[in-house]
């Protein structure tokens, strides 16, 4: 079997796209394992992996975010957040976090949040007297709120892979997302007091009511999405179509939408959706091999042999997914690891919605954790900051996020209360 890691390393060094790398290694693994006769049904298996109704919501939510971003919603959200918390010490740090909360209801992606907000916040915070590395660190850390507060792209992927209700996952992400925002704001307040960060100047803070009116269409978008899902008026896919329609109408409220803007939004949506789906297709080949080789059954037997059950198994998964998140793209890690580890967790009675929130949160922590934290990479590239100094500045935020992750794993009610109140069937 030695050619498999050799080919993997060779393709990795050569810069081959990850989807093609995984596909090539998976096909080689079939041959080396003596399972080449099953290669003839791979097209069917790949199609079955992608032919999931929940996945249809993904491109529509991405399109919603692209439309709203091009319509100029970012500035209105920043102004509204500034009117709410801008007067406090460390006010721009609070504004950064609160804007990520508002932006989460639009984009559903940490990478998109960090890219959109780093260009705006980091220069402005530096101009007001903040350290550039602190400004970059809090921007990267707060962007993690994006995939937790609904709508969330990775929750759609998880729901498609496990069959868990995407609407229940969206409802379950509300409390963890708010807790994350509050935790980051408390830490920012403490660090602002220690570092004597500047407070907002009253003359620079926008008036509350005009800012609220300006931001209202963007703030209503997640309400429309969640309301339609929680009240049972629409499925996640139908809700995503409603979101696109709402974004088209709301876009006229801001800068207006030209045909060029719509074309660019559709082009960006197609590119990102294609990237995610080709990764799902490539890794589905490896998942099929895992089923043929009985890897899940072997994992289940090993877990039982060492007594990893219930909460202990969940904490074991926290460690595995935390390490994976440091090195792998979130959709890649999700698609590769969920089919392998989730069945055993569900067999032990762990609620699929609780498991989904913990694992999605888990992988998102890796986005701001070295050595390959994607949000750190984006912020460092866009602001021309040294990556490792930025990663060091982000460590306090990483610690807070890991502590919250452990709390979410230990207390399922933090995730399941809202779905239960909304009428979803959870344990």
């Amino acid at each position: 079997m030695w050619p498999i890691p050799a080919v993997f390393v060779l393709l990795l060094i050569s810069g081959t796209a990850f989807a093609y790398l995984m596909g090539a290694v998976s096909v080689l693994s079939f041959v080396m394992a003596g399972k080449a006769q099953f290669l003839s049904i791979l097209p069917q298996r790949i199609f079955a992996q992608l032919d999931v109704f929940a996945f249809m919501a993904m491109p529509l939510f991405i399109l919603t975010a692209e439309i709203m971003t091009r319509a100029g919603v970012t500035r209105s959200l920043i102004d509204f957040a500034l009117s709410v918390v801008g007067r406090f010490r460390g006010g721009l740090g609070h504004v950064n976090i609160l804007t990520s909360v508002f932006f989460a209801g639009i984009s559903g992606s940490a990478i998109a949040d960090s890219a959109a907000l780093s260009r705006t916040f980091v220069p402005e915070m530096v101009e007001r007297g903040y350290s550039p590395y602190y400004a970059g660190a809090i921007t990267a850390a707060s962007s993690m709120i994006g995939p937790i507060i609904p709508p969330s792209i990775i929750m759609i992927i998880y729901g498609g892979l496990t069959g868990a209700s995407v609407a229940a996952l969206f409802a379950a992400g509300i409390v963890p997302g708010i807790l994350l925002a509050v935790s980051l704001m408390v830490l920012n307040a403490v660090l602002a007091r220690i570092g004597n960060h500047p407070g907002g100047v009253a003359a620079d803070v926008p008036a509350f009511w005009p800012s609220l009116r300006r931001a209202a269409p963007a703030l209503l978008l997640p309400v429309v999405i969640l309301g339609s899902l929680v009240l049972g008026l629409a499925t996640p896919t139908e809700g995503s179509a409603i979101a696109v329609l709402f974004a088209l109408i709301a876009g006229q409220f801001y800068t207006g939408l030209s045909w060029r803007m719509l074309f660019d939004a559709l082009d960006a949506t197609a590119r990102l959706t294609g990237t995610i789906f080709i990764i799902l297709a490539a890794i589905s080949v490896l998942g099929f091999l895992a089923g043929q080789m009985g890897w899940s059954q072997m994992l289940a037997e090993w877990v039982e042999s060492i007594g990893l059950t219930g909460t202990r198994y969940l904490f074991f998964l926290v460690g595995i997914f935390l390490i994976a998140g440091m090195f792998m793209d979130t959709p890649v890690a999700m698609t590769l690891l969920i089919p392998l580890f989730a069945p055993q967790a569900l067999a032990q009675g762990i609620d699929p919605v609780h498991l989904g929130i913990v694992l999605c949160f888990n992988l998102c922590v890796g986005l701001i954790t070295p050595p390959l934290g994607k949000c750190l990479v984006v912020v460092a590239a866009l602001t021309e900051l040294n990556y490792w100094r930025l990663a060091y500045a982000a460590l306090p935020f990483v610690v807070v996020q890991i502590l919250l992750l452990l709390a979410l794993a230990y207390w399922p009610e933090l995730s399941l209360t809202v779905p239960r109140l909304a009428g979803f069937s959870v344990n």
Side-chain angles (χ1 to χ4, degrees):
M1 299 291 284
W2 66 266
I4 296 176
V7 170
F8 181 87
V9 172
L10 181 62
L11 292 176
L12 190 65
I13 294 174
S14 68
T16 303
F18 190 84
Y20 302 122
L21 185 155
M22 289 302 302
V25 169
S26 299
V27 170
L28 179 60
S29 299
F30 267 93
V31 175
M32 298 298 295
K35 302 284 185 179
Q37 67 271 24
F38 293 104
L39 290 175
S40 60
I41 62 172
L42 280 186
Q44 178 184 349
R45 296 294 304 179
I46 291 173
F47 181 79
Q49 175 75 51
L50 301 179
D51 187 25
V52 178
F53 184 67
F55 283 162
M56 290 178 62
M58 191 188 311
L60 293 175
F61 278 129
I62 294 173
L63 178 59
T64 300
E66 293 292 338
I67 291 172
M68 292 295 281
T69 301
R70 283 169 171 75
V73 69
T74 305
R75 186 69 252 176
S76 66
L77 292 176
I78 292 173
D79 287 344
F80 177 62
L82 195 59
S83 72
V84 176
V85 294
R87 292 177 175 83
F88 302 112
R89 180 175 294 279
L92 276 182
H94 293 314
V95 172
N96 197 325
I97 297 166
L98 195 58
T99 302
S100 290
V101 173
F102 298 149
F103 214 78
I106 298 173
S107 74
S109 166
I111 304 297
D113 284 12
S114 59
L117 300 180
S118 59
R119 292 188 184 96
T120 303
F121 273 114
V122 175
E124 189 167 345
M125 291 180 72
V126 171
E127 185 178 340
R128 299 290 183 90
Y130 290 82
S131 160
Y133 289 97
Y134 182 83
I138 197 171
T139 301
S142 65
S143 66
M144 187 191 138
I145 300 171
I148 307 302
I149 292 180
S152 168
I153 302 303
I154 61 172
M155 288 183 190
I156 295 173
I157 295 175
Y158 174 86
L161 291 174
T162 63
S165 167
V166 174
L169 288 165
F170 281 5
I174 295 173
V175 171
I178 292 174
L179 288 175
L180 175 58
V182 171
S183 301
L184 294 178
M185 292 180 81
V186 170
L187 177 60
N188 176 63
V190 172
L191 295 177
R193 180 69 60 180
I194 295 173
N196 195 30
H197 293 172
V201 180
D204 296 336
V205 177
F208 176 79
W209 291 112
S211 299
L212 176 59
R213 285 195 298 270
R214 182 72 177 161
L219 297 175
L220 284 174
L221 178 59
V223 176
V224 170
I225 295 171
L226 278 176
S228 64
L229 299 183
V230 171
L231 295 177
L233 302 177
T235 65
T237 301
E238 293 165 346
S240 64
I242 293 171
V244 171
L245 178 62
F246 185 91
L248 289 171
I249 296 172
Q252 303 302 324
F253 182 82
Y254 294 104
T255 60
L257 293 171
S258 65
W259 288 109
R260 184 66 199 179
M261 288 180 180
L262 290 177
F263 176 81
D264 290 342
L266 288 168
D267 180 66
T269 300
R271 290 175 184 273
L272 182 55
T273 303
T275 299
I276 294 174
F277 271 63
I278 198 170
I279 290 173
L280 290 172
I283 295 182
S284 69
V285 179
L286 188 61
F288 181 45
L289 176 63
Q292 293 296 319
M293 300 294 291
W295 291 351
S296 295
Q297 182 60 34
M298 288 188 287
L299 175 65
E301 293 173 357
W302 176 77
V303 165
E304 291 180 3
S305 69
I306 61 175
L308 282 177
T309 58
T311 304
R312 283 179 292 181
Y313 182 68
L314 190 55
F315 280 115
F316 167 73
L317 292 187
V318 166
I320 295 293
F321 278 71
L322 192 60
I323 295 172
M326 296 178 185
F327 296 93
M328 302 170 67
D329 284 338
T330 302
V332 173
M334 184 74 69
T335 312
L336 187 62
L337 299 179
I338 289 295
L340 186 61
F341 290 102
Q344 180 64 17
L346 301 179
Q348 293 185 15
I350 298 174
D351 185 87
V353 174
H354 176 224
L355 178 67
I357 294 299
V358 171
L359 297 185
C360 289
F361 195 104
N362 206 333
L363 289 175
C364 288
V365 173
L367 293 173
I368 65 163
T369 308
L372 298 176
K374 281 301 182 69
C375 285
L376 292 177
V377 171
V378 169
V379 174
L382 293 176
T383 58
E384 298 182 352
L385 296 174
N386 178 272
Y387 173 82
W388 292 106
R389 289 182 64 185
L390 180 62
Y392 179 78
L395 286 180
F397 299 100
V398 175
V399 171
V400 167
Q401 291 175 349
I402 291 176
L403 291 175
L404 180 55
L405 168 63
L406 296 176
L408 291 173
Y410 190 75
W411 287 295
E413 295 305 313
L414 293 175
S415 303
L416 299 181
T417 298
V418 173
R420 191 175 289 120
L421 292 174
F424 293 104
S425 178
V426 294
N427 294 340

